[in-house]
Amino acid sequence: MNRQELNSPPQSHAAKTLLRFITCGSVDDGKSSLIGRLLYETHAIFDDQLQALASESKRLGTRGSDLDFALLVDGLAAEREQGITIDVAYRYFETARRKFIVADTPGHEQYTRNMVTGASTADVAILLIDARKGLLEQTKRHSYIASLLGIRHVVLAVNKMDLVGFDERIFRDIENAFRQFSREMAFTQVIAIPVCAVDGDNVSSRSPRLNWYQGEPLLDYLESVTVDRGELDAPFRFPVQWVNRPHADFRGYSGQIASGVIRPGDKIRVLPSGRQTSVESIVTYEGALPEAIAGQSVTLTVADEVDISRGDVLTLSDQAVECGAQFEATLVWMHQQPLLQGRQYFLKIGTRTALCTVAPVKYRVNIHTMEHVSAERLEMNDIGVCELQLDQSVPFEPYTVSRILGGFILIDRLTNDTVGAGMLHFALRRSQNVHWQALAVDRALRSAQKQQRSCVLWLTGLSGAGKSTIADILDQKLLQLGHHSYVLDGDNVRHGLNKDLGFTAQDRVENIRRVAEVSKLMVHAGLITLVSFISPFRSEREMARSLFDPGEFIEVFVDTTLAVAEQRDVKGLYKKARAGKLKNFTGIDSPYEAPQAPEIYIDTAVLSAMQAADLILSHLRAAGFLVGPTP
Amino acid sequence: MSNALTHLQRLEAESLHIFREVLAECEKPVMLYSIGKDSAVMLHLALKAFYPAPLPFPLLHIDTGWKFREMYQFRDSIAKKYGLELLVYQNAEGLAQGVNPFTHGSQVHTDIMKTQALKQALDLYRFDTAFGGARRDEEKSRAKERVFSFRSSSHRWDPKLQRPELWSLYNTRKHKGESIRVFPLSNWTELDVWRYIEQEAIPIVPLYFSALRPVVEHNGMLIMVDDERMPLGIDETPQLKSVRFRTLGCYPLTAAMLSQASTLPEIIAEMSQSKSSERQGRLIDHDAMASMEQKKQQGYF
């Protein structure tokens, strides 16, 4: 193709299709040069930008007086200084037949996170290889991530052919090695192209310097590759995004069709409720449509008054999706704070958000060797296979079937950061065989018998703050008043139920999870449950709170300064920790995250243990937990 | 089986998805309306996203006081035509100080009358989410911008603290005081915008079409003399030339281009052959190499 043909007459624009691809390579493979070259060859770079490039090339470039195309695509000032790109950037260009969106991802330590992000929306991956270096571990890593994220078409661009004398044998060796290796990947098409990105050989036109190569140049391939994901032929899937209800006479369900086709009159099912109705009309600004297809954002109205909300998935009646609350999934960790088993995160999938606990991590994948390594947590840029436990049943499809109904992100509940991304494999059947057993004697009956309303008092604070002393006094007072209470003490529980747990962050999370579940059983048994645990992490206390109805989880912050607690040092633990004989000790080398809004605040500098117990007691009375006759 | 969607249909569907996601998850959205072609497209997409409901949020125009007269007329006519709630905000302090692009220069004027004004307006109305018409193809530092761009409670943009965006999943959670700028046109290019305006017959300010207009040449740029506030040198006389504008901003800061293109097909044809970038006509971008990034960190959208 010559450069003139790339500029098409305007009337053909309407029929253009869109191709999204990702370029992968490390700092020196010439990735930025290749993208810069593609932009240049397709006239996506204007004269004023070229002018700026020329002056920047002289000042910052690595190519002498030649244009350094890599500078075209290095955006932010901080990156300029380091000479590397540090985030996913998106570039745009077009030819007569297609518009292209390029996800440009850098190749250094944050690579996994960035490449996963870029690959999540890509149809094709271009893997850059330096002809002098051949197939490296990183190429395998890129292939693994591309395959994992569902990319099925791969271009192996063997770059810097000029530096190996345009030698065909070197190219073929690399190609063969890659074909051999990539058999294990889920690619449907692999093509290899020898290129010299800085000079443009085989980028938009075939290179005379590489005349032994008979295949297409890169741009021709990108223009013609068919990347049908089968979304049009797949069953109809419609995650409800927003309920459009401008007035009493109209109720529509807006969303983007994930797959399939829908027409008025089609019988549909609402998941997870399973209710059925039929489509009345497909409403758009331009008027009602006779049909709508995968990818379109539309609004549907239905024939019957059924309950449909955001997060539900509409399907055809006889082609419903599965629902599940427990899954196996691949998880990519994207945050400095590691993934902790047992901690609760928000999980967003499609248009639905659920609470999710990861337990357990089955294994981590060594992305250099693809080996499975046993692991208890995932660090930034780790990829692992985990089991997920959700707080509700969600409609889903395996990621290999649907990116939209099988891809999810995890959000930290406190920082609101996106900390992980994942791909569902399948639902675990476990949950379907364990049903909640309804029992005749319920919590209300048990509580009434004890003349109280059951609740949990969660005492948190540093070691030595006086939690157990206060709990003990309170327990005695409640007994004297004729109530039924029980103290779950941190040390005591670690003698039995939790004796397999240590004091790492991971184990502390599990420690609290178990105690929270036990206290929930006790509250069901009608008891006023006193929990006396350091419970240093806010997330876990919030997790514990979420197990209970509003009002029945009472957080009591027993506040002492570290200096005072350390001075008391009843158990001699601070001394040991300071001497380095006790690792992960709260307040010394493990953090304590103080409650921000506890129901009860106890300042031990002001109140004695007895006064503190009385304060809690008066709270219980005022809040109506002690319904019996008071002496 | 129907054919696959065209690239404009895919861009449109993605933008509608973004609008609806904000409405479903954010508390108090607003659309930043700058009267230009990108705002016109954004408004059109929003009307589509929520149809048959009326636009469920107001439009906010940060008025520097120096827009083209035709822009103000157009703004008011559009608000009336679609029955929109239009909020116009001016930095009263800057206005009282008489800040203007001639005596204070483009940078100070833009900072006080645009960036600071925007921050003041968002604080005043307590909007937690603001739609903007910026596109990633506009400028290099925008290429890495997220669709959902997070701002601290002091409206600062930290490029290192932006969240990864995978698939079409957007994390809209934020702390009290923080806000989000949302860019539904992130993946659109300038040419896409023009084609879509043509395809959908979207009304735009007539200044985009070529006509005879009074201009003077300043530092190689053609500046339109839109009102009597424009200081002219003794030897400067406005000349009538056939010009149009590729982008619209404050009239003293927006260069016109010589052109005969007076219809959309002509503009698109001219665009396809264009040798210079869209932002070349914006004086504010020429100040420093990384000026856009700096402006963004300070709160410019």
Side-chain angles (χ1 to χ4, degrees):
Chain A
M1 176 185 304
N2 66 44
R3 289 185 55 176
Q4 261 61 48
E5 286 173 329
L6 294 170
N7 264 327
S8 56
Q11 52 267 35
S12 66
H13 286 149
K16 277 186 193 184
T17 55
L18 179 64
L19 183 81
R20 300 188 69 139
F21 67 93
I22 180 172
T23 53
C24 326
S26 81
V27 183
D28 302 319
D29 291 341
K31 187 170 50 70
S32 296
S33 302
L34 180 71
I35 298 169
R37 196 82 210 185
L38 279 170
L39 299 181
Y40 177 68
E41 306 255 339
T42 54
H43 304 267
I45 300 166
F46 297 114
D47 282 353
D48 53 318
Q49 291 167 328
L50 272 179
Q51 235 170 39
L53 176 66
S55 73
E56 283 170 29
S57 294
K58 275 186 205 135
R59 201 161 74 72
L60 297 160
T62 54
R63 304 203 44 84
S65 56
D66 290 345
L67 291 181
D68 187 349
F69 288 106
L71 290 176
L72 271 176
V73 294
D74 286 344
L76 304 182
E79 300 168 15
R80 290 283 185 82
E81 283 154 27
Q82 297 165 27
I84 45 163
T85 53
I86 52 171
D87 208 339
V88 190
Y90 295 89
R91 322 280 171 199
Y92 305 84
F93 66 92
E94 61 183 77
T95 63
R97 287 148 80 181
R98 268 196 170 147
K99 167 170 168 164
F100 299 91
I101 301 180
V102 193
D104 175 14
T105 56
H108 64 124
E109 79 269 13
Q110 302 239 330
Y111 196 80
T112 300
R113 164 186 148 138
N114 289 326
M115 185 178 160
V116 165
T117 303
S120 72
T121 51
D123 302 307
V124 173
I126 299 180
L127 307 180
L128 259 285
I129 290 195
D130 185 333
R132 296 170 302 175
K133 296 179 189 158
L135 204 59
L136 298 178
E137 239 178 31
Q138 61 142 339
T139 315
K140 298 182 181 177
R141 197 161 78 219
H142 300 159
S143 309
Y144 171 71
I145 296 172
S147 172
L148 184 69
L149 269 290
I151 294 176
R152 298 292 168 254
H153 301 266
V154 167
V155 181
L156 193 70
V158 182
N159 191 23
K160 307 199 181 182
M161 288 302 295
D162 54 327
L163 301 181
V164 294
F166 303 100
D167 188 338
E168 179 176 6
R169 193 183 43 80
I170 290 177
F171 170 75
R172 294 296 170 203
D173 284 350
I174 294 172
E175 180 184 6
N176 291 336
F178 185 76
R179 287 192 187 281
Q180 186 76 23
F181 157 79
S182 67
R183 276 194 206 130
E184 293 165 41
M185 303 289 141
F187 302 138
T188 54
Q189 185 187 37
V190 172
I191 77 149
I193 305 176
V195 298
C196 173
V198 289
D199 297 328
D201 297 72
N202 279 347
V203 174
S204 71
S205 55
R206 211 180 276 169
S207 161
R209 301 197 285 185
L210 292 157
N211 54 12
W212 44 262
Y213 172 75
Q214 299 301 311
E216 294 172 299
L218 179 62
L219 197 55
D220 283 19
Y221 171 79
L222 294 174
E223 268 200 305
S224 58
V225 59
T226 336
V227 286
D228 183 15
R229 294 183 166 278
E231 279 124 346
L232 288 177
D233 300 316
F236 173 69
R237 307 287 185 240
F238 185 77
V240 175
Q241 194 182 7
W242 179 63
V243 180
N244 190 347
R245 207 183 169 197
H247 49 79
D249 300 334
F250 184 87
R251 182 185 272 267
Y253 305 97
S254 300
Q256 191 168 11
I257 301 174
S259 62
V261 179
I262 193 74
R263 297 180 186 88
D266 284 345
K267 297 252 177 297
I268 56 165
R269 191 182 290 271
V270 185
L271 278 303
S273 75
R275 289 195 184 84
Q276 299 190 55
T277 178
S278 60
V279 174
E280 194 179 61
S281 63
I282 304 169
V283 179
T284 73
Y285 189 73
E286 288 83 14
L289 298 181
E291 70 167 20
I293 63 169
Q296 281 185 290
S297 287
V298 293
T299 299
L300 305 178
T301 60
V302 299
D304 309 282
E305 269 198 28
V306 288
D307 187 16
I308 303 176
S309 0
R310 173 171 164 87
D312 289 343
V313 173
L314 307 185
T315 70
L316 292 181
S317 278
D318 52 354
Q319 293 180 323
V321 284
E322 215 184 314
C323 296
Q326 289 177 318
F327 298 96
E328 186 189 276
T330 298
L331 203 54
V332 182
W333 203 248
M334 303 189 143
H335 203 264
Q336 281 95 345
Q337 286 276 323
L339 160 77
L340 295 180
Q341 294 189 25
R343 175 165 287 186
Q344 270 188 331
Y345 299 93
F346 287 117
L347 177 145
K348 189 170 182 184
I349 180 165
T351 54
R352 180 176 283 260
T353 302
L355 276 172
C356 163
T357 311
V358 178
V361 177
K362 296 177 98 170
Y363 56 84
R364 185 171 65 80
V365 179
N366 178 330
I367 57 168
H368 306 287
T369 61
M370 311 318 140
E371 283 170 339
H372 297 175
V373 189
S374 77
E376 290 207 327
R377 55 197 233 167
L378 294 178
E379 307 275 351
M380 172 102 140
N381 291 316
D382 279 351
I383 298 177
V385 170
C386 311
E387 287 184 10
L388 307 176
Q389 171 85 50
L390 274 55
D391 69 334
Q392 56 186 269
S393 183
V394 304
F396 79 100
E397 287 191 296
Y399 184 78
T400 48
V401 173
S402 166
R403 284 187 180 190
I404 294 170
L405 289 178
F408 63 89
I409 55 172
L410 292 183
I411 301 168
D412 188 281
R413 293 184 64 190
L414 292 177
T415 64
N416 291 330
D417 287 329
T418 302
V419 289
M423 289 136 280
L424 295 181
H425 299 172
F426 47 80
L428 298 166
R429 296 279 151 252
R430 203 181 298 149
S431 52
Q432 297 190 341
N433 298 321
V434 185
H435 297 280
W436 184 260
Q437 190 68 42
L439 300 168
V441 182
D442 67 3
R443 180 181 158 194
L445 280 173
R446 290 183 201 281
S447 292
Q449 183 202 31
K450 296 172 175 54
Q451 300 194 322
Q452 63 192 27
R453 270 173 55 217
S454 59
C455 64
V456 59
L457 286 153
W458 192 281
L459 279 67
T460 171
L462 291 172
S463 174
K467 298 181 295 298
S468 296
T469 313
I470 295 169
D472 190 24
I473 296 172
L474 182 61
D475 198 27
Q476 292 173 46
K477 285 181 184 271
L478 286 166
L479 184 81
Q480 283 163 11
L481 293 169
H483 294 290
H484 283 200
S485 55
Y486 189 79
V487 179
L488 285 166
D489 181 83
D491 286 353
N492 296 357
V493 175
R494 277 185 181 276
H495 276 88
L497 176 64
N498 287 356
K499 70 178 170 190
D500 57 326
L501 299 176
F503 290 88
T504 60
Q506 178 64 63
D507 282 359
R508 283 177 186 273
V509 171
E510 177 61 14
N511 187 36
I512 298 306
R513 189 192 69 80
R514 291 186 196 171
V515 171
E517 290 290 354
V518 170
S519 53
K520 189 182 174 188
L521 290 175
M522 290 192 163
V523 168
H524 272 280
L527 297 175
I528 293 173
T529 310
L530 314 179
V531 176
S532 168
F533 270 65
I534 298 174
S535 46
F537 303 143
R538 219 169 275 145
S539 293
E540 277 58 61
R541 294 195 302 267
E542 286 307 306
M543 180 274 290
R545 183 188 289 274
S546 73
L547 295 178
F548 297 89
D549 290 338
E552 70 182 27
F553 179 91
I554 302 159
E555 191 174 28
V556 182
F557 179 26
V558 184
D559 191 13
T560 305
T561 62
L562 181 63
V564 171
E566 197 169 351
Q567 197 191 349
R568 284 187 207 146
D569 205 8
V570 192
K571 301 170 194 163
L573 297 175
Y574 282 98
K575 209 168 163 188
K576 272 194 195 169
R578 285 289 184 204
K581 289 177 192 155
L582 201 55
K583 289 276 169 229
N584 299 320
F585 193 74
T586 300
I588 307 296
D589 58 348
S590 184
Y592 179 77
E593 299 168 1
Q596 284 164 332
E599 276 77 9
I600 301 177
Y601 174 78
I602 289 167
D603 184 351
T604 60
V606 178
L607 296 182
S608 69
M610 188 65 82
Q611 290 169 319
D614 283 334
L615 180 73
I616 300 173
L617 205 56
S618 60
H619 178 97
L620 287 178
R621 198 168 280 135
F625 287 103
L626 311 180
V627 286
T630 38
Chain B
M1 180 49 60
S2 328
N3 287 325
L5 303 181
T6 67
H7 88 279
L8 278 185
Q9 287 174 314
R10 278 180 69 175
L11 289 174
E12 177 189 271
E14 180 186 62
S15 301
L16 265 52
H17 173 84
I18 293 165
F19 272 114
R20 291 167 174 173
E21 198 63 11
V22 167
L23 204 73
E25 295 211 333
C26 299
E27 279 171 33
K28 205 176 174 196
V30 67
M31 182 188 289
L32 302 176
Y33 181 73
S34 72
I35 319 174
K37 63 183 189 306
D38 302 304
S39 285
V41 167
M42 192 162 61
L43 174 60
H44 185 76
L45 289 165
L47 291 169
K48 282 195 172 193
F50 305 114
Y51 177 85
L55 202 67
F57 40 74
L59 264 50
L60 172 64
H61 177 223
I62 301 299
D63 184 12
T64 60
W66 290 88
K67 302 293 169 191
F68 292 86
R69 281 175 301 169
E70 276 185 81
M71 289 173 73
Y72 292 113
Q73 288 159 14
F74 180 84
R75 177 194 73 188
D76 296 340
S77 74
I78 288 292
K80 200 171 157 200
K81 179 175 170 190
Y82 295 103
L84 306 170
E85 182 188 355
L86 172 72
L87 306 170
V88 177
Y89 185 88
Q90 280 195 305
N91 182 349
E93 203 183 328
L95 206 62
Q97 289 167 350
V99 171
N100 70 76
F102 299 111
T103 35
H104 298 84
S106 68
Q107 265 192 329
V108 172
H109 169 73
T110 303
D111 178 56
I112 293 178
M113 299 309 288
K114 211 165 157 182
T115 306
Q116 301 308 326
L118 172 63
K119 292 198 248 183
Q120 290 168 4
L122 293 178
D123 287 342
L124 175 71
Y125 294 105
R126 298 179 192 281
F127 292 121
D128 67 341
T129 315
F131 293 104
R135 310 184 316 267
R136 287 189 183 125
D137 83 319
E138 273 178 71
E139 206 268 344
K140 266 188 275 187
S141 74
R142 290 218 198 267
K144 299 177 189 206
E145 180 61 293
R146 305 297 196 270
V147 176
F148 283 65
S149 177
F150 283 79
R151 305 302 159 104
S152 69
S153 50
S154 55
H155 303 285
R156 280 188 73 85
W157 176 73
D158 184 343
K160 289 194 164 57
L161 286 184
Q162 299 299 314
R163 300 166 178 176
E165 281 178 350
L166 294 100
W167 301 293
S168 49
L169 288 176
Y170 302 105
N171 171 4
T172 61
R173 293 187 176 268
K174 60 191 174 310
H175 294 290
K176 214 173 157 54
E178 292 172 346
S179 61
I180 317 178
R181 308 280 167 89
V182 179
F183 304 112
L185 303 183
S186 286
N187 284 325
W188 295 59
T189 62
E190 188 187 6
L191 210 46
D192 294 331
V193 165
W194 281 113
R195 286 180 199 135
Y196 191 70
I197 288 170
E198 184 188 29
Q199 177 187 301
E200 304 283 310
I202 299 171
I204 51 171
V205 184
L207 291 161
Y208 284 113
F209 300 101
S210 182
L212 285 174
R213 299 188 170 97
V215 292
V216 291
E217 199 174 320
H218 268 194
N219 303 323
M221 304 265 181
L222 291 176
I223 304 295
M224 179 171 159
V225 184
D226 197 45
D227 58 36
E228 69 297 335
R229 291 178 296 175
M230 174 109 187
L232 295 174
I234 316 157
D235 52 347
E236 272 185 328
T237 325
Q239 310 252 318
L240 275 182
K241 286 188 176 159
S242 181
V243 295
R244 66 179 179 91
F245 292 86
R246 204 163 152 191
T247 67
L248 290 176
C250 295
Y251 83 80
L253 299 175
T254 309
M257 60 188 282
L258 290 172
S259 168
Q260 302 295 332
S262 57
T263 65
L264 285 168
E266 284 168 7
I267 288 174
I268 291 169
E270 203 173 82
M271 274 292 313
S272 306
Q273 301 301 320
S274 172
K275 291 272 183 221
S276 58
S277 81
E278 170 182 25
R279 298 207 73 90
Q280 194 184 29
R282 293 289 187 100
L283 303 187
I284 182 80
D285 286 351
H286 295 291
D287 294 333
M289 195 163 84
S291 67
M292 181 66 88
E293 183 182 350
Q294 279 156 13
K295 287 210 301 285
K296 276 170 69 73
Q297 290 191 1
Q298 289 152 9
Y300 187 85
F301 54 90

